[in-house]
Each structure stands twice: as C-alpha cells, then as structure tokens.
Amino acid sequence: MDERMPEPPTEWEYTLQVPHDPLAPAIARATVKLVLDRHGLPELADTAVLLTSELLTNSCRYAPGPASVRLKWADKRLRGSVWDTGPLLPRPATYPAPEADGGRGLVLVELCSSAWGSFALGRETGGAHGKVVWFELLADVPAGMAA
C-alpha cells in the first residue's frame, strides 16, 4: 500500500468570506499567512498579508456590507483580491502629506505589488454587486514548489 501524500495542485484558489466586522482584517491576515506558508510561499507571505490587510481595512471602513478575500495561485503569480458591497472604486494612489493621518494604503499596494487594479460589479448582471480591488505578486520559485 502506497501511503505517500498525493502531489499538491500546481494551481489553487481560496476564498474567505467575512462579515462587516473590525476583526475581519486580522482574521484575513492570519489566513493569508497560513495559506502561503502551507503552500511553500513564505517569501510572498509578508507582502501579501500587508496588501490584503490594506484592501480589507478599506473595505471595512468604506463599504456597508460583508466582504470576501480571494487568493489565487497560477503560473508563479499570486493574485489577491477583496470584494465588497461598496459602489465606489478606489482613486489612483496619491502620496499623502507626511503629517497626514491616513491615505497610504493604496500607495503601499502600488509600490509593493507587480500590478493592481479594481473593477465594478453591477446589479444588472443578476449576481454580485459592489467592487473588486486586486493585486498581483510574482514569485520566482523552482519548478515543483508552491503547489
């Protein structure tokens, strides 16, 4: 009898649904770290945790309803995204004054990601509404890793 574990998938996707709750960003940070560590991508974990936290914190601050966090790994690329019920797309990142209390989240997303963006979801589609804000991180990992 062969008791070896099956080979993990080379592509995967996780979704975490969270209520409109101030604890959601902390729960998402822990989840993102766990997923990336378990999939052999610890070098992406700190950045992915930071960017996910920024996007979900904005969601909790500006959107009225629940949210979801999605992580998708394919082709040595991690895409993180946050869906929420807020109708307004984020403005392009602008550098706040040094004394400003906020406004640095999207600057961090822009500086730390390979790419980022957002798109609206309309009620006319009959499905989800709101928006999705996403980021991508590229990994240079040996073949067979990060499965």
Side-chain angles (χ1 to χ4, degrees):
M1 183 167 132
D2 188 1
E3 294 185 22
R4 289 181 293 169
M5 294 292 290
E7 286 293 316
T10 57
E11 296 183 7
W12 47 259
E13 183 174 334
Y14 291 84
T15 302
L16 173 66
Q17 297 179 352
V18 296
H20 189 260
D21 183 330
L23 295 175
I27 292 167
R29 285 191 297 270
T31 302
V32 168
K33 175 137 180 59
L34 179 65
V35 167
L36 293 176
D37 285 349
R38 293 292 173 102
H39 277 285
L41 294 165
E43 72 280 4
L44 295 181
D46 288 343
T47 303
V49 165
L50 172 67
L51 301 184
T52 301
S53 184
E54 291 297 334
L55 296 183
L56 192 53
T57 298
N58 283 348
S59 174
C60 290
R61 190 172 286 155
Y62 301 114
S68 67
V69 174
R70 180 174 290 165
L71 292 176
K72 182 175 182 178
W73 172 259
D75 301 320
K76 297 184 180 180
R77 179 182 316 259
L78 178 71
R79 178 174 275 213
S81 60
V82 173
W83 163 84
D84 67 38
T85 58
L88 300 176
L89 295 177
R91 295 185 198 137
T94 57
Y95 292 82
E99 66 276 2
D101 288 337
R104 292 173 180 79
L106 289 178
V107 172
L108 287 172
V109 173
E110 183 173 283
L111 291 174
C112 296
S113 66
S114 302
W116 78 279
S118 62
F119 56 91
L121 300 171
R123 290 181 188 267
E124 65 276 356
T125 63
H129 64 281
K131 69 178 171 299
V132 173
V133 184
W134 58 270
F135 65 86
E136 286 186 349
L137 300 175
L138 301 177
D140 186 23
V141 296
M145 294 293 295

